[in-house]
């Protein structure tokens, strides 16, 4: 098991004379590679396991121009049979030939006749045994040839099943590609017309951009569309040719597997079994004739002994009665000899027929192996074609990616509008949060200033003022200025009505986006800033708990916020979810590429099984990811409806109540010294650490501290 295939090939070269480079070893339909160990293919079989056959093919005979093998001839059958004993004299005469008794004179005649018959049948039987053994050998060789053809077919079946799977997967991807690209080309002009009919936001029109069609290079896209149409047409034509090539390969494989053996080995085996009965019958005849020969030879010896003992007359010889019984034996031999000759001729015809079958099988095997080699070559060509078509497939995908721009513009533009709304809402909520921080900082400073004044009043009558100056106890709290630069907000004023208006002009935005580019998916971009609605539904949080706007620590809780701030938060969440929905639609799903490696190549069947397992796992994870994204998208759409409903409820609050509440806030936070959003306070603080923590709770604000003496 630890030996390598190359060592076995070297041994086979010594046994058969076939060079290692010309050897092809197959086992169970798999090609054995010289660098691998035998145990890789389960060789040798373990104890109690059925053995495995390994077949050796000569690559020279598999070439298309390889000549057919020469017909095989039967060897000369020369059985080595020992001569049977004979009682005749050196000259061929016998003493009883001159006997006055006619019966005694017949004894040598019977002996010579029985001897000739026994000798002929014995030689015929030995020859038939050799011929029968030749029949068995020829049958066994044909059975091995049939098994070798089956093994080669099994190898073809494995490779064809693999290439058929690759072709089926490619055609499924091509069908999807064809539908997508055909849809893009057919609706290209209609898409451009639709984009040209949709105006941009009024503030954008001032920059010279009036419609959605102004957002893309129309002339360049038209030129590119013409090139894509020509490439699409050529690619479809090549795929049709590929389909014809595969169908021809399919017919060749079917014809190969429908080819029946040229010899019915089962019928031939039954005929050889009949020949075995003939050989056994010949053996029985040979034994019977030899027994008769022994009988007549014993009678001759007894007669000669009696004549030599007492000079008895021939009329008184005891064996005379036995001599009379030899005539029926002789008559029976006259019928046995033709039967023996008939049986011998039958065995001779059988071995000749087996030889004809063997030569026919050799020709059939040679033809089928050349056909198998040709089919294997076509399968390799098909694999290379599929690899090339996969590369062109990816190039087509990339080329048509430019044309998808026209379909992606509306969703991208609507995402920009949603992002503008989100940023406006952020500015509004952040301004309220900064105002809240300013209030707390002012209150803290007032407390600190009051404590310092009380301290001076209490101890100034007891200690000189110079001491307070040296110790710095006359100093008031530092001035804290919190500035919010509204000019950095930037952007244009976009409302939810603008989003709704664009949706009305593109009522089937999702369908418009997915036509011509099915099976799209994507990841939620981090820049959107909004948490997934699906995650909010799983965690049980509300819109305010999982808002796209982060609440600054220390500011008002959700229940304490003004109605205006709550509306701003809901608008931000709504806009973030809309942007997220379009981000999902804009990310294309990549098409899987087929592998070009066949089992039995460098990777081997084991590698292909691992790749197949990994591919199946990846496809399963991909399907689960797609289902998750679809669930998130569905949840996001549901959350959008919830936000819009909540916004309508909040907008229905009486405007007077909102103005009354905001007026009290504005009076408390009235700017001093004519500076917008600047507060100056000087009061005592409970502790400097507490004051610093409160000041640091205002991110994205500019805090300037200065010492006040």
């Amino acid at each position: 098991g630890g030996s390598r295939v190359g060592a076995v090939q070297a041994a086979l070269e010594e046994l058969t004379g076939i060079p290692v480079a010309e050897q092809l070893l197959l086992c169970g339909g798999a090609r054995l590679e010289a660098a691998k160990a035998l145990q890789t293919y389960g060789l040798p079989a373990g104890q109690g396991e059925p053995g495995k056959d390994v077949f050796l093919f000569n690559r020279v005979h598999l070439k298309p121009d390889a000549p057919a093998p020469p017909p095989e001839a039967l060897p000369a059958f020369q059985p080595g049979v020992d001569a049977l004993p004979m009682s005749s004299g050196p000259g061929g005469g016998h003493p009883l030939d001159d006997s006055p008794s006619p019966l005694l004179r017949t004894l040598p005649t019977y002996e010579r006749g029985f001897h000739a018959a026994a000798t002929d049948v014995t030689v015929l039987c030995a020859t038939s045994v050799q011929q029968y053994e030749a029949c068995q050998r020829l049958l066994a060789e044909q059975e091995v040839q049939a098994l070798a053809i089956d093994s080669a077919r099994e190898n073809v079946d494995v490779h064809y099943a693999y290439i058929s799977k690759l072709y089926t997967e490619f055609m499924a991807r091509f069908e999807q590609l064809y539908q997508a690209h055909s849809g893009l080309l057919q609706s290209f002009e209609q898409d451009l017309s639709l984009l040209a009919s949709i105006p941009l936001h009024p503030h954008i029109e001032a920059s010279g951009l009036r419609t959605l069609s102004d957002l893309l290079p129309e002339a360049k896209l038209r030129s590119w569309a013409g090139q894509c149409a020509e490439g699409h047409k050529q690619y479809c034509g090549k795929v049709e040719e590929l389909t014809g090539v595969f169908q021809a390969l399919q017919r060749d494989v079917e014809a190969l597997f429908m080819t029946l053996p040229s010899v019915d080995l089962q019928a031939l085996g039954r005929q050889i079994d009949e020949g075995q009965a003939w050989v056994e019958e010949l053996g029985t005849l040979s034994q019977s004739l030899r027994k008769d020969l022994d009988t007549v030879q014993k009678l001759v010896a007894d007669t000669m002994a009696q004549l030599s003992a007492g000079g008895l007359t021939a009329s008184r010889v005891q064996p005379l009665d036995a001599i009379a019984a030899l005539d029926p034996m002789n008559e029976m031999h006259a019928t046995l000899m033709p039967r023996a000759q008939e049986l011998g001729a039958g065995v001779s015809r059988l071995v000749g027929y087996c030889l004809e079958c063997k030569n026919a099988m050799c020709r059939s095997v040679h033809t089928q192996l050349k056909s198998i080699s040709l089919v294997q070559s076509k399968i390799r060509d098909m694999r290379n074609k599929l690899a090339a078509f996969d590369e062109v497939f990816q190039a087509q995908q990339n080329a048509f990616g430019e044309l998808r721009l026209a379909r992606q513009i509306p969703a991208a533009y609507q995402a920009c509008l949603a992002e503008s709304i989100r940023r406006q809402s952020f500015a509004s909520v952040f301004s309220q949060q900064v105002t809240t921080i300013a209030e707390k900082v002012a209150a803290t400073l007032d407390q600190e200033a009051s404590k310092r004044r009380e301290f001076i009043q209490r101890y100034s009558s007891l200690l000189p003022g110079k001491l307070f100056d040296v110790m710095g106890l006359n100093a008031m709290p530092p001035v804290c200025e919190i500035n919010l630069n509204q000019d950095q907000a930037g952007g244009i004023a976009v409302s939810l009505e603008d989003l709704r208006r664009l949706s009305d002009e593109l009522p089937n935005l999702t369908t418009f986006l997915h036509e011509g580019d099915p099976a799209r998916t994507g990841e939620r971009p981090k820049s959107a800033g909004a948490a997934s609605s699906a995650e909010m539904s799983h965690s049980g949080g509300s819109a305010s708990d999982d808002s796209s706007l982060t609440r600054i620590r220390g500011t008002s809780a959700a229940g304490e916020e003004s109605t205006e701030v709550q509306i701003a938060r809901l608008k931000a969440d709504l806009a973030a979810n809309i942007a997220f929905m379009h981000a999902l639609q804009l990310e294309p799903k990549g098409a899987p590429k087929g592998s070009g490696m066949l089992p039995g190549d460098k990777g081997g069947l084991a590698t292909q099984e691992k790749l197949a397992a990994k591919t199946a796992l990846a496809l399963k994870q991909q399907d689960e990811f797609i289902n998750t994204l679809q669930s998130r998208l569905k949840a996001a759409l549901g959350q959008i409806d919830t936000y819009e409903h909540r916004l309508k409820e909040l907008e229905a609050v009486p405007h007077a109540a909102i103005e009354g509440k905001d007026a009290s806030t504005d009076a408390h936070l009235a700017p001093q010294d004519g500076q917008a959003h600047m507060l100056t306070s000087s009061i005592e603080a409970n502790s400097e650490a507490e004051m610093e923590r409160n000041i640091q709770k205002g991110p994205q604000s500019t805090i300037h501290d200065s010492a006040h003496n």
Side-chain angles (χ1 to χ4, degrees):
S3 302
R4 297 194 176 275
V5 176
V8 177
Q9 289 181 309
L12 289 174
E13 182 177 5
E14 296 180 1
L15 291 174
T16 63
I18 302 176
V20 173
E22 298 176 1
Q23 293 180 15
L24 175 62
L25 296 179
L26 294 181
C27 179
R31 180 171 61 89
L32 275 60
E33 298 182 14
K36 292 188 176 181
L38 292 175
Q39 61 186 4
T40 305
Y41 306 97
L43 298 173
Q47 187 175 3
E49 297 179 358
K52 295 184 178 181
D53 296 324
V54 179
F55 299 95
L56 170 63
F57 298 87
N58 192 337
R59 295 181 185 271
V60 175
H61 297 160
L62 302 180
K63 295 181 179 180
D65 56 348
E72 183 177 343
L74 288 175
F77 299 105
Q78 297 178 351
V81 179
D82 296 335
L84 299 179
M86 188 69 181
S87 62
S88 299
H94 196 278
L96 295 179
D97 290 337
D98 299 328
S99 174
S101 173
L103 290 177
L104 294 179
R105 289 199 299 268
T106 59
L107 280 177
T109 304
Y110 282 129
E111 182 184 8
R112 284 190 284 267
F114 284 13
H115 183 274
T119 300
D120 292 343
V121 173
T122 300
V123 172
L124 184 61
C125 180
T127 303
S128 298
V129 169
Q130 289 185 348
Q131 292 175 339
Y132 174 74
E133 291 175 350
C135 291
Q136 289 182 313
R137 175 182 60 81
L138 292 173
L139 176 62
E141 291 175 353
Q142 293 178 72
E143 289 175 344
V144 171
Q145 289 176 319
L147 291 175
I149 289 295
D150 291 341
S151 180
R153 285 179 175 178
E154 187 177 358
N155 183 260
V156 171
D157 189 32
V158 171
H159 286 74
Y160 175 72
Y162 178 76
I163 204 67
S164 179
K165 177 176 178 291
L166 287 183
Y167 173 77
T168 303
E169 293 175 351
F170 168 78
M171 291 304 298
R173 296 196 305 272
F174 170 74
E175 183 64 26
Q176 186 180 15
L177 181 80
Y178 176 81
Q179 297 294 338
H181 292 178
S182 298
L184 282 173
L185 293 174
Q186 292 174 3
S187 63
F188 179 72
E189 292 296 335
Q190 181 181 356
D191 294 344
L192 292 182
S193 300
L194 179 61
L195 295 179
S197 65
I198 300 175
L200 298 177
H201 193 275
H203 287 80
I204 302 177
E205 293 180 1
S207 64
L209 302 174
R210 299 185 178 279
T211 63
L212 289 179
S213 62
D214 296 333
L215 302 179
L216 49 84
E218 185 173 342
K220 180 180 178 182
L221 278 181
R222 290 183 186 276
S223 174
W224 190 253
Q227 298 179 23
C228 288
E230 182 64 24
H232 180 67
K233 180 180 178 181
Q234 294 179 0
Y235 187 60
C236 291
K238 293 296 182 181
V239 171
E240 289 183 2
E241 295 179 4
L242 182 69
T243 301
V245 172
F246 180 78
Q247 291 175 350
L249 173 62
Q250 189 177 30
R251 289 192 295 269
D252 292 342
V253 173
E254 291 175 353
L256 178 64
F257 281 94
M258 291 179 64
T259 302
L260 298 176
S262 59
V263 178
D264 188 348
L265 296 181
Q266 293 183 351
L268 181 60
R270 289 192 293 269
Q271 293 183 22
I272 293 177
D273 291 340
E274 293 178 2
Q276 182 181 7
W278 299 343
V279 173
E280 291 176 352
E281 186 176 353
L282 271 175
T284 302
L285 292 178
S286 176
Q287 292 177 1
S288 176
L289 290 174
R290 294 186 67 169
K291 182 178 180 181
D292 291 346
L293 177 61
D294 292 341
T295 300
V296 71
Q297 287 180 343
K298 185 176 184 301
L299 184 59
V300 169
D302 292 343
T303 302
M304 292 295 295
Q306 291 183 22
L307 290 174
S308 301
L312 298 177
T313 60
S315 59
R316 297 180 61 185
V317 176
Q318 295 295 331
L320 293 180
D321 294 337
I323 294 173
L326 294 177
D327 190 58
M329 291 184 183
N330 189 41
E331 293 178 356
M332 185 180 65
H333 289 178
T335 60
L336 291 180
M337 288 303 297
R339 177 59 180 169
Q341 293 174 354
E342 179 184 356
L343 293 174
V347 176
S348 297
R349 288 193 301 271
L350 178 61
V351 71
Y353 177 70
C354 290
L355 179 63
E356 293 177 1
C357 292
K358 172 64 182 304
N359 289 328
M361 177 65 80
C362 288
R363 292 191 297 270
S364 176
V365 167
H366 178 72
T367 302
Q368 291 192 53
L369 286 179
K370 291 176 67 175
S371 300
I372 289 172
S373 179
L374 180 61
V375 170
Q376 291 281 36
S377 177
K378 291 182 178 180
I379 289 176
R380 286 192 296 269
D381 292 342
M382 189 68 186
R383 178 198 63 185
N384 296 333
K385 287 180 181 292
L386 286 175
F389 271 77
D390 275 336
E391 293 180 1
V392 179
F393 182 95
Q394 190 60 40
Q396 287 274 302
Q397 284 280 65
N398 297 335
F400 275 81
E402 298 291 336
L403 294 187
R404 296 189 188 96
L405 180 62
R407 293 179 176 269
Q408 295 171 341
I409 286 295
Y413 174 65
Q414 195 169 26
C416 291
L417 294 180
E419 177 65 11
S420 296
I421 295 176
R422 192 196 67 80
R423 295 189 182 189
Q424 293 171 18
S425 301
F426 167 78
S428 176
V429 174
F430 185 69
S431 176
Q432 196 273 343
Q433 291 175 341
V434 170
T435 301
T436 302
I437 292 175
E439 292 176 359
K440 293 191 175 184
V441 170
T444 301
L445 292 177
D446 287 342
Q447 293 177 5
E448 175 64 17
S450 176
K451 289 182 179 181
R452 293 189 183 192
R453 284 193 294 270
E454 291 178 0
F455 178 81
I456 296 298
Q457 291 176 2
R458 180 178 303 172
Y459 297 102
S460 60
S461 60
L462 301 177
L463 299 172
K466 184 176 181 180
L467 177 62
F468 292 104
D469 292 337
V470 173
M471 297 181 66
L473 297 180
N474 285 325
M476 288 293 102
V479 176
C480 177
E481 297 179 356
I482 300 179
N483 296 328
L484 179 62
N485 190 352
Q486 296 285 5
D487 296 336
Q488 294 180 355
I492 61 176
V494 181
S495 64
L496 290 176
E497 290 300 326
D498 296 327
L499 278 177
R500 296 191 184 99
R501 185 163 50 253
L502 180 60
S503 299
D504 293 338
E505 293 171 349
L506 285 174
N508 297 322
L509 177 60
T510 302
T511 304
F512 175 78
L513 191 65
H514 283 263
E515 286 178 354
D517 190 17
R520 307 174 71 89
T521 184
E523 294 286 350
R524 182 176 183 178
K526 296 181 179 179
S527 59
S532 169
S533 300
E535 295 172 357
M536 289 192 292
S537 62
H538 289 313
S539 61
S542 62
S544 60
D545 294 333
D546 195 7
S547 174
S548 63
L549 300 181
T550 304
R551 181 177 295 105
I552 298 177
R553 181 179 177 185
T555 58
S556 301
E560 301 173 359
E561 290 178 341
S562 63
T563 305
E564 182 181 8
V565 173
Q566 294 184 40
I567 292 176
R569 284 188 179 278
L570 289 173
K571 286 183 178 180
D573 286 341
L574 174 61
N577 278 277
I578 292 176
F580 169 52
M581 179 183 68
H582 294 310
L584 290 178
Q585 297 169 350
L586 287 173
E587 288 294 330
K589 173 186 176 183
K593 296 179 67 177
S595 172
M597 182 181 294
L598 280 174
D601 290 346
K602 294 183 178 180
L605 287 173
T607 304
Q608 294 302 318
E609 292 175 356
K610 293 180 181 178
L611 291 176
K614 291 182 179 179
T615 301
L617 178 60
L619 291 175
K620 180 181 178 181
Q621 293 175 348
Q622 173 182 276
D623 294 339
E624 294 175 352
F625 181 63
I626 291 175
N627 294 334
T628 301
L629 288 178
Q630 290 176 347
S631 301
R632 292 173 63 186
L633 179 58
K634 182 178 180 181
L637 293 174
Q639 195 68 26
I640 288 174
D641 295 338
T642 303
Y643 288 158
E644 289 182 345
H645 180 70
R646 177 59 176 160
L647 282 173
K648 290 179 181 179
E649 292 180 351
L650 292 174
E651 289 173 350
V653 176
H655 187 66
I658 298 177
E659 290 182 347
K661 184 173 181 180
D662 292 344
S664 61
T665 303
D666 294 341
H668 184 72
L669 299 176
Q672 299 178 6
D673 299 331
Q675 297 181 1
H677 298 280
M678 178 182 296
L679 296 177
T680 305
S681 302
S682 313
I683 55 177
E684 284 188 284
N686 293 326
S687 65
E688 293 182 359
E690 180 66 23
M691 183 174 63
E692 291 177 358
R693 283 195 299 270
N694 289 329
I695 291 175
Q696 292 174 357
K697 293 177 183 176
Q700 301 182 16
S701 299
T702 303
I703 301 179
H704 304 283
D705 295 327
S706 61
H708 179 70
N709 297 320

